[in-house]
Amino acid sequence: MTSPFADLTSIRHVVGVDFGTLSARAVVVRASDGSEVGTGVADYPHAVIERGLPDGDTRLPADWALQDPADWRAALGGAVRAAMRDAAVAPESVVGIATDFTACTVLPVLRDGTPLCEVPRLRDRPHSWPKLWKHHAAQEQADRITALAHERGESWIARYGGRISSEWEFAKALQVLEEDPDLYHRTERWIEAADWIVWQLCGIETRNACTAGYKGIFQDGRYPSTDYLKSLHPEFGDFAQTRLGGLPLSPLGARVGTLTAAAAALTGLPQGIAVATGNVDAHVTAPATCAIGPGQLLAIMGTSTCHVMNAGVLAEVPGICGVVDGGITPGWYGYEAGQSAVGDIFAWWIDQGLPPSYLAQARERGEDLHEYLSARCAGQPVGGHGLVALDWMGGNRSVLVDHHLSGVLVGLTLATTPEDIYLALLESTAFGTRTIVEAFDGAGVPVDEFVVAGGLKRNPLLMQIYADVLRRPVAVAGSDQAPALGSAIHAAVAAGIHPDVEQAAAVMGRVERGAFTPDPHRADAYDALFAEYRALHDYFSGRGSAANDVLHRLRQRRNGAAAANSASQQDGGVSS
Amino acid sequence: MTSPFADLTSIRHVVGVDFGTLSARAVVVRASDGSEVGTGVADYPHAVIERGLPDGDTRLPADWALQDPADWRAALGGAVRAAMRDAAVAPESVVGIATDFTACTVLPVLRDGTPLCEVPRLRDRPHSWPKLWKHHAAQEQADRITALAHERGESWIARYGGRISSEWEFAKALQVLEEDPDLYHRTERWIEAADWIVWQLCGIETRNACTAGYKGIFQDGRYPSTDYLKSLHPEFGDFAQTRLGGLPLSPLGARVGTLTAAAAALTGLPQGIAVATGNVDAHVTAPATCAIGPGQLLAIMGTSTCHVMNAGVLAEVPGICGVVDGGITPGWYGYEAGQSAVGDIFAWWIDQGLPPSYLAQARERGEDLHEYLSARCAGQPVGGHGLVALDWMGGNRSVLVDHHLSGVLVGLTLATTPEDIYLALLESTAFGTRTIVEAFDGAGVPVDEFVVAGGLKRNPLLMQIYADVLRRPVAVAGSDQAPALGSAIHAAVAAGIHPDVEQAAAVMGRVERGAFTPDPHRADAYDALFAEYRALHDYFSGRGSAANDVLHRLRQRRNGAAAANSASQQDGGVSS
């Protein structure tokens, strides 16, 4: 009989850390087979900074969304330590760490990586803070970036569905330059949080192939030209060269350095273990769910949804977020699309309040309010609520790429119930997904299977709706921590345990295929509702001669009113 | 010093009873000056019967709304007795009674006035019950009535804005004939509840000029012709002649009989006092608020809104409910328009639930939820919520005359709050009213002043919104029981205390003129929002080549799904 301790030396573990919108989640994983042996979560104390800076004095305009890098550091240490405690494995068994992050979450830093918001005299300047992915106040800049690219016939614009998002690196940076030029000029590097957190781990600045391609307009070996950038703004010409460039891109799964003494102290992991290149929470999930073959569209469904899919062909798909060579796994064209708000919409509806009797019944049945409302919807015939909704409460990422759109609810009657609206909102996000799937199909990048990871995979009503609306089988991630598991897979590759991501995914990833299959009868009924959705989609997009641009006008009026109100409040002109 | 009892013989009182949607309200009024000396309310035990008959076995299809005549009788006795107790005046001082009712609330009766639903073997037949004004299941019949009238060039159709409502006498009767012909053939008289209740008081069947004109298509001295009715349905030819006609119309304020012994026993009032002709809750309110001059548009704002206005000219106003000679006061052309749901919409929104923190704060502040939400909206800049809504949750009475439309909410974001939506719903009803006001103005029947009665007059936020949106001064009824006071005014005329309604109104009516005046700055901002409303109004009306008929398709799908579901539930095919 061998001693149990003898095995410790042969079992190797890797750590994956997933930085989400509100918290970081770490898993400790057995590198040989992907078993998750420990998990830890740490919330960001400041969560999303939307109304005012933490100083309590500096208010933020509409559509802003910031985060605090100190929260990320603290959550890194907290989540990894918690996961290691939960795993109860020897720290010496850990051979590598990899991270993934929301994107485009981007911040201005000094040459040594110090965030500008941590430079004391810049701390009360809103533009010194990291802009979270869902910061939507750079739409004007994004529109000009897009228009100029078309005007000049820039070849890269087609790789982004014909539109650059206000969420991405260039739009957000240009907003800084135009609104706080002094702060812009103090920005020595403009870096994705995905790469900044790796810098904190190994002390080396890197740029990963995924965010550089999808969020940084890096295509065919280069960023947009100086000439193009200068035409956007005379002082923006050297932006890519000085703030982004100067470093080769790191392929996903590469080892970019080793854990520094400081990072070892923060996390409790051994100094010197492999640190993998940065990655994005969505893309990193593909190997964790074995969804890296062509036609397997992976949706990471949480507050928002990201869709990623590999393909052997390079096609121009209108309205997708982007296509990047090696953006998901080296050797494939990686496509990305997205929906700005999904779970956020369902939560928004519940936050509007529910009848007291519903709250009491949910409590009695031990269900959370999503489960309770879903149960009340069960068995409803398709269209029985008489409603159709546009899922644009957080704007529209694909295929309209317009964050100043807003949501619409059509068909309300005095008999409409809270669960009717909840169901219509669930369906609206499925219709949004179908619009994206049809864009891929139409561009010659067919979608055969829909794979779901993220918290929403646990709602069987929602999953069945997606199967019916998409008329495709829905597979479900085997792990509840699929992004963190995906990072762990990359850590295992960076540590040299598996030769590449595809082989690591084959042994470490997990998925339940065909978990939900379409009901042909309900799918037919949803076809008719989807036709209504598409007609409203086109009308409210504001594009084309038959459309109504009301959503943009309402948004403008709202933002104008809010600004006027805030100005007059600061003048003491309006009592609160 | 005279004895106080001596005066009792000289002070004369009248009783007005207002039959609303959920209750009857009686006032005892001093006939000399309109002072309200006592009030009583009695709820209808069965309220609105919408899902199934009181037997618990017979389910009702979508869009049905019935009432129980026994409830009306009981509420008549209860409300009058309570008002007399409250007034503490001698019954002998009461010299007359008048009533008003919701309309078109209509029922099938035997020749002696017995409601068919009180004939035991007919009690489980849904069509034997009174159809409440908001019974909206006869849209198909209404559409055919309208289409055939235009086809044949019937002169009366222009008096109803070009459209006959599904709420009215002919549509509801035709629905009975087509869905339960046997029941139709057992119907000896088809009578408004407004006239039926007078029958209960004085034992005489009458037909008042108001409902006969507005709801019964009585114009220029006659009902629609036998020929026309026969073309609608071969067995419908004698409908007007046999079920409605055979009696001269009674002008408003006329004495039609005296209180019977049975009615005296029910109400506790003296047998033999004057009983006035029936009236409608909206129209009867005009004298109570001194709004009987041309250009004074009176809105009775409660669960729904009725608009009534006198004018010296007979004009064709598209989409109004009707114009009737003497329909409001003898000697004027009385115009009526309406909004199917107003307070109902605000209540619907609150019934969707509110955040628990709101409920707690409202409780703490001792405010009802409408007051609390209104307070949270106070001071918001116009358009600050980024929303615009269509107020069609109960269909659209004027100017589209289509009860199968439904509501729309546009501009929702993840930052939208419950009070934002509440405010947008308040505004949407003001936009709906402005659409009606513009229809009058455009047809040469100008509106100069907006007078409000009904429960919603107590919401100052709402009243200011109406002043701003309409750009007109808003006057407010002085009485909280304006319809009942209006009935009392008619009772005083019927009893011979005042010579006519105009002179009675001058001494007994009460109004606060200029209670709210438009703020020009907010009115300008509302002009812009109203333009958005109008564009959406036209688009979602489903009419015209640029419109989208989605609301009707969603309604059809909903009703079809509900019918299929209910059929399969009766088969035991679906578990609940």
Side-chain angles (χ1 to χ4, degrees):
Chain A
M1 196 180 161
T2 41
S3 151
F5 297 102
D7 278 335
L8 272 184
T9 54
S10 63
I11 297 180
R12 286 172 303 177
H13 294 100
V14 283
V15 171
V17 190
D18 167 47
F19 288 85
T21 298
L22 297 173
S23 61
R25 185 172 293 265
V27 289
V28 179
V29 172
R30 195 156 61 200
S32 58
D33 63 358
S35 295
E36 295 165 28
V37 298
T39 309
V41 183
D43 290 336
Y44 307 148
H46 296 97
V48 180
I49 300 167
E50 288 173 302
R51 283 158 200 273
L53 294 184
D55 63 17
D57 294 328
T58 313
R59 299 194 53 159
L60 297 174
D63 297 321
W64 277 56
L66 308 178
Q67 285 199 323
D68 186 343
D71 287 353
W72 301 335
R73 263 193 226 99
L76 170 64
V80 171
R81 284 177 181 276
M84 286 296 290
R85 271 197 305 277
D86 185 40
V89 301
E92 305 75 51
S93 71
V94 177
V95 295
I97 182 170
T99 54
D100 62 86
F101 223 103
T102 62
C104 166
T105 295
V106 68
L107 63 157
V109 298
L110 299 178
R111 205 167 309 281
D112 66 359
T114 305
L116 291 199
C117 66
E118 295 185 352
V119 175
R121 70 181 179 287
L122 303 179
R123 204 159 166 72
D124 62 351
R125 305 261 284 270
H127 279 295
S128 73
W129 292 71
K131 291 183 166 61
L132 184 62
W133 61 273
K134 65 175 168 177
H135 174 92
H136 287 151
Q139 186 65 49
E140 199 229 308
Q141 287 78 13
D143 290 345
R144 282 159 45 215
I145 289 168
T146 296
L148 185 64
H150 286 292
E151 205 175 290
R152 292 172 46 104
E154 299 288 343
S155 62
W156 44 261
I157 188 68
R159 303 279 172 86
Y160 299 99
R163 243 161 209 270
I164 298 302
S165 167
S166 74
E167 291 185 359
W168 297 349
E169 294 181 14
F170 282 73
K172 281 171 170 162
L174 187 56
Q175 190 199 2
V176 178
L177 170 56
E178 295 184 342
E179 296 182 4
D180 191 347
D182 173 67
L183 197 286
Y184 175 81
H185 290 298
R186 290 172 190 272
T187 301
E188 293 176 346
R189 302 291 285 168
W190 184 248
I191 189 165
E192 289 276 346
D195 291 324
W196 181 84
I197 202 75
V198 169
W199 201 342
Q200 306 307 300
L201 289 170
C202 68
I204 298 168
E205 183 188 356
T206 58
R207 301 283 165 153
N208 73 80
C210 179
T211 53
Y214 289 109
K215 315 300 175 187
I217 322 188
F218 188 93
Q219 290 284 353
D220 302 322
R222 58 188 170 276
Y223 290 108
S225 70
T226 303
D227 201 40
Y228 165 81
L229 294 175
K230 214 184 222 163
S231 306
L232 273 177
H233 190 290
E235 294 167 48
F236 205 51
D238 67 350
F239 168 69
Q241 206 177 318
T242 57
R243 269 76 167 189
L244 303 178
L247 291 168
L249 298 196
S250 309
L252 302 179
R255 166 184 160 141
V256 293
T258 58
L259 201 68
T260 62
L266 179 68
T267 58
L269 298 177
Q271 186 180 347
I273 62 170
V275 174
T277 190
N279 209 328
V280 176
D281 49 4
H283 306 68
V284 78
T285 306
T289 55
C290 307
I292 49 182
Q296 296 182 304
L297 183 69
L298 168 65
I300 300 89
M301 297 178 59
T303 55
S304 65
T305 292
C306 274
H307 307 86
V308 296
M309 180 166 65
N310 276 328
V313 293
L314 179 62
E316 293 179 4
V317 187
I320 62 159
C321 304
V323 49
V324 170
D325 191 357
I328 300 169
T329 32
W332 296 91
Y333 291 105
Y335 290 82
E336 184 193 343
Q339 291 173 270
S340 309
V342 178
D344 266 353
I345 296 178
F346 314 149
W348 165 79
W349 177 241
I350 281 179
D351 287 347
Q352 299 297 299
L354 291 174
S357 64
Y358 284 36
L359 302 181
Q361 281 175 38
R363 213 168 20 239
E364 200 175 292
R365 297 163 61 158
E367 294 176 343
D368 73 28
L369 296 174
H370 292 278
E371 289 167 340
Y372 176 73
L373 285 185
S374 297
R376 287 186 76 102
C377 295
Q380 256 212 36
V382 174
H385 49 32
L387 300 172
V388 64
L390 291 180
D391 55 324
W392 301 347
M393 287 73 179
N396 179 296
R397 197 181 295 158
S398 300
V399 298
L400 296 169
V401 201
D402 186 341
H403 298 292
H404 284 180
L405 293 171
S406 46
V408 177
L409 255 172
V410 172
L412 299 162
T413 74
L414 298 174
T416 301
T417 63
E419 62 268 29
D420 287 340
I421 294 177
Y422 186 77
L423 179 58
L425 294 175
L426 298 185
E427 292 167 345
S428 74
T429 68
F431 296 147
T433 298
R434 178 160 166 181
T435 305
I436 292 166
V437 165
E438 292 193 350
F440 276 115
D441 278 350
V445 187
V447 176
D448 305 316
E449 185 189 20
F450 192 70
V451 184
V452 179
L456 293 179
K457 79 183 170 91
R458 284 189 291 272
N459 184 332
L461 172 70
L462 184 69
M463 293 300 98
Q464 186 61 49
I465 290 169
Y466 273 64
D468 293 341
V469 167
L470 299 177
R471 308 194 84 120
R472 281 168 177 80
V474 169
V476 167
S479 169
D480 284 346
Q481 327 288 350
L485 173 61
S487 278
I489 288 172
H490 286 80
V493 176
I497 294 177
H498 298 293
D500 59 33
V501 174
E502 286 182 64
Q503 293 187 53
V507 293
M508 295 176 74
R510 289 196 300 286
V511 67
E512 184 191 349
R513 299 225 179 274
F516 298 88
T517 52
D519 168 332
H521 186 69
R522 293 178 71 87
D524 286 347
Y526 274 127
D527 278 351
L529 275 186
F530 178 67
E532 304 293 0
Y533 173 91
R534 276 313 300 255
L536 293 169
H537 176 284
D538 294 348
Y539 177 73
F540 282 107
S541 72
R543 301 186 195 160
S545 60
N548 182 343
D549 205 24
V550 57
L551 298 181
H552 288 117
R553 289 190 298 266
L554 289 174
R555 170 72 61 127
Q556 257 176 347
R557 181 168 292 280
R558 185 198 74 166
N559 292 356
N565 212 31
S566 132
S568 76
Q569 274 178 343
Q570 282 172 7
D571 293 347
V574 167
S575 63
S576 64
Chain B
M1 195 174 159
T2 42
S3 150
F5 297 102
D7 278 333
L8 270 183
T9 53
S10 63
I11 296 181
R12 288 173 300 179
H13 294 101
V14 282
V15 171
V17 190
D18 167 47
F19 288 85
T21 299
L22 298 173
S23 60
R25 183 173 297 264
V27 288
V28 180
V29 172
R30 195 155 64 198
S32 58
D33 64 358
S35 294
E36 295 165 27
V37 297
T39 308
V41 182
D43 290 336
Y44 306 149
H46 296 97
V48 180
I49 300 167
E50 288 173 302
R51 282 156 199 277
L53 294 183
D55 63 15
D57 292 330
T58 313
R59 299 194 54 161
L60 297 174
D63 296 322
W64 277 56
L66 308 178
Q67 285 199 323
D68 186 343
D71 288 352
W72 302 333
R73 265 195 225 95
L76 170 62
V80 172
R81 285 177 180 276
M84 288 296 291
R85 270 196 307 276
D86 185 39
V89 300
E92 306 75 51
S93 70
V94 177
V95 295
I97 182 170
T99 53
D100 62 86
F101 224 103
T102 61
C104 167
T105 295
V106 67
L107 62 158
V109 298
L110 299 179
R111 206 166 307 283
D112 66 359
T114 304
L116 292 198
C117 66
E118 295 186 352
V119 175
R121 68 183 181 290
L122 303 179
R123 203 158 167 72
D124 63 351
R125 304 260 284 270
H127 278 295
S128 73
W129 292 70
K131 291 184 167 61
L132 185 61
W133 62 274
K134 65 175 169 177
H135 174 93
H136 286 151
Q139 186 64 50
E140 200 228 308
Q141 286 78 14
D143 289 344
R144 281 160 44 216
I145 288 167
T146 297
L148 185 65
H150 285 291
E151 206 175 289
R152 292 172 46 103
E154 300 289 342
S155 62
W156 44 262
I157 188 69
R159 303 279 172 88
Y160 300 99
R163 244 162 207 271
I164 298 301
S165 167
S166 74
E167 290 184 359
W168 298 348
E169 294 180 14
F170 282 74
K172 281 170 169 163
L174 187 55
Q175 191 198 0
V176 177
L177 170 56
E178 296 186 341
E179 297 181 3
D180 191 347
D182 174 68
L183 198 287
Y184 175 82
H185 291 299
R186 291 172 190 271
T187 300
E188 293 176 346
R189 301 291 285 169
W190 185 248
I191 189 164
E192 288 276 345
D195 291 324
W196 181 85
I197 201 76
V198 170
W199 201 343
Q200 307 307 300
L201 288 170
C202 68
I204 299 169
E205 183 188 355
T206 58
R207 302 283 165 153
N208 72 82
C210 180
T211 53
Y214 289 111
K215 316 299 177 188
I217 321 188
F218 188 92
Q219 290 285 352
D220 301 323
R222 57 187 171 277
Y223 290 106
S225 69
T226 302
D227 201 38
Y228 165 82
L229 295 174
K230 213 184 222 165
S231 304
L232 273 177
H233 188 291
E235 294 167 49
F236 206 51
D238 67 351
F239 169 69
Q241 207 178 314
T242 57
R243 270 76 167 190
L244 304 179
L247 291 169
L249 297 197
S250 311
L252 303 180
R255 166 183 157 140
V256 294
T258 57
L259 202 66
T260 62
L266 179 67
T267 59
L269 297 178
Q271 186 179 349
I273 62 170
V275 173
T277 190
N279 209 328
V280 176
D281 50 2
H283 306 69
V284 80
T285 306
T289 56
C290 307
I292 50 183
Q296 297 183 302
L297 183 69
L298 168 65
I300 299 89
M301 297 177 59
T303 55
S304 64
T305 291
C306 274
H307 306 87
V308 296
M309 179 166 67
N310 276 329
V313 292
L314 178 62
E316 294 178 4
V317 188
I320 63 161
C321 303
V323 51
V324 171
D325 191 356
I328 300 169
T329 32
W332 295 92
Y333 290 106
Y335 290 83
E336 183 192 344
Q339 291 174 269
S340 311
V342 177
D344 265 353
I345 296 178
F346 314 150
W348 166 77
W349 177 240
I350 281 179
D351 287 347
Q352 299 297 297
L354 291 174
S357 64
Y358 284 37
L359 303 180
Q361 282 175 40
R363 212 168 20 240
E364 201 174 291
R365 297 164 59 159
E367 294 176 344
D368 76 24
L369 296 175
H370 292 277
E371 290 167 339
Y372 176 72
L373 284 185
S374 297
R376 287 186 75 102
C377 294
Q380 255 212 39
V382 175
H385 49 30
L387 299 171
V388 65
L390 292 180
D391 54 324
W392 301 348
M393 287 72 179
N396 179 296
R397 196 181 297 158
S398 299
V399 298
L400 295 170
V401 201
D402 186 341
H403 298 292
H404 283 179
L405 293 172
S406 47
V408 177
L409 254 174
V410 172
L412 300 162
T413 74
L414 298 174
T416 301
T417 63
E419 61 269 28
D420 286 341
I421 294 177
Y422 186 77
L423 180 58
L425 294 174
L426 298 185
E427 292 167 345
S428 73
T429 68
F431 295 147
T433 298
R434 178 161 166 179
T435 304
I436 292 165
V437 166
E438 293 193 350
F440 278 114
D441 279 350
V445 188
V447 176
D448 305 317
E449 185 188 21
F450 192 71
V451 184
V452 179
L456 293 179
K457 79 182 170 90
R458 284 190 291 274
N459 183 332
L461 173 70
L462 185 69
M463 292 300 99
Q464 187 60 50
I465 289 169
Y466 273 64
D468 293 339
V469 167
L470 299 176
R471 308 194 83 121
R472 280 167 177 81
V474 170
V476 168
S479 168
D480 284 346
Q481 326 288 350
L485 174 61
S487 278
I489 288 172
H490 286 80
V493 176
I497 295 177
H498 299 293
D500 59 34
V501 174
E502 285 179 66
Q503 293 186 56
V507 292
M508 296 177 72
R510 287 195 302 286
V511 67
E512 185 191 348
R513 298 224 180 276
F516 298 88
T517 52
D519 168 332
H521 186 69
R522 293 178 72 88
D524 287 346
Y526 274 128
D527 278 351
L529 275 186
F530 178 68
E532 304 294 0
Y533 174 91
R534 277 313 301 254
L536 293 169
H537 176 283
D538 295 348
Y539 177 74
F540 282 107
S541 73
R543 301 184 196 159
S545 61
N548 182 343
D549 205 25
V550 57
L551 297 181
H552 288 118
R553 289 190 299 266
L554 289 174
R555 168 75 59 131
Q556 256 175 348
R557 182 168 291 280
R558 185 198 75 165
N559 292 357
N565 210 32
S566 131
S568 77
Q569 274 178 344
Q570 283 172 6
D571 294 347
V574 166
S575 63
S576 61

